[in-house]
Amino acid sequence: MDITIHASFLPHNDPDASLAFYRDTLGFEVRNDVGYGGMRWITVGPVGQPGTSIVLHPPFADPGITEDERRTITEMMAKGTYAIILFATPDLDGTFEKLQASAEVVQEPTEQPYGVRDCAFRDPAGNLVRIQELR
């Protein structure tokens, strides 16, 4: 069996702010930008890695979401507990230095007791963006 991770989804509550973060702050390329019914799905990914993408999506596009679920998702996004993504870099300190001026810092580079060194930011929608050092 040959399976790869092709795309993952992260919610946005402001497509332009999320696009600016992933494109301008992280340097990802925009692969698709689709609107439908007043909503927007934006596909971004790291330059030179066309097989890996993130789809930034409106969190309430599913018509089956109830008002209670909508309220819960909104509250969790505001707290930054709804969605997480993990990136990796061989230069954690250099990456942190570049990002800290334009992203909300959650955690400076730290050696974790479980054997990784990482830092964390929040994107404009509140998603937790962890960046792990490749060793």
Side-chain angles (χ1 to χ4, degrees), residues 90-113:
D91 180 15
L92 185 65
D93 294 314
T95 300
F96 180 81
E97 289 300 319
K98 289 177 187 172
L99 296 179
Q100 69 174 338
S102 52
E104 178 188 346
V105 175
V106 175
Q107 174 207 300
E108 294 185 5
T110 302
E111 190 71 41
Q112 301 291 353

Side-chain angles (χ1 to χ4, degrees), residues 64-118:
I65 293 177
T66 67
E67 282 304 313
D68 284 344
E69 291 168 331
R70 180 183 300 257
R71 189 174 25 262
T72 298
I73 291 169
T74 300
E75 290 170 0
M76 291 181 73
M77 285 177 69
K79 288 174 46 181
T81 57
Y82 185 67
I84 299 171
I85 193 156
L86 177 62
F87 298 136
T89 180
D91 180 15
L92 185 65
D93 294 314
T95 300
F96 180 81
E97 289 300 319
K98 289 177 187 172
L99 296 179
Q100 69 174 338
S102 52
E104 178 188 346
V105 175
V106 175
Q107 174 207 300
E108 294 185 5
T110 302
E111 190 71 41
Q112 301 291 353
Y114 42 87
V116 300
R117 186 166 183 268
D118 65 0

Side-chain angles (χ1 to χ4, degrees), residues 32-46:
N32 207 354
D33 191 340
V34 177
Y36 178 78
M39 296 179 277
R40 218 165 133 197
W41 288 257
I42 304 165
T43 304
V44 295

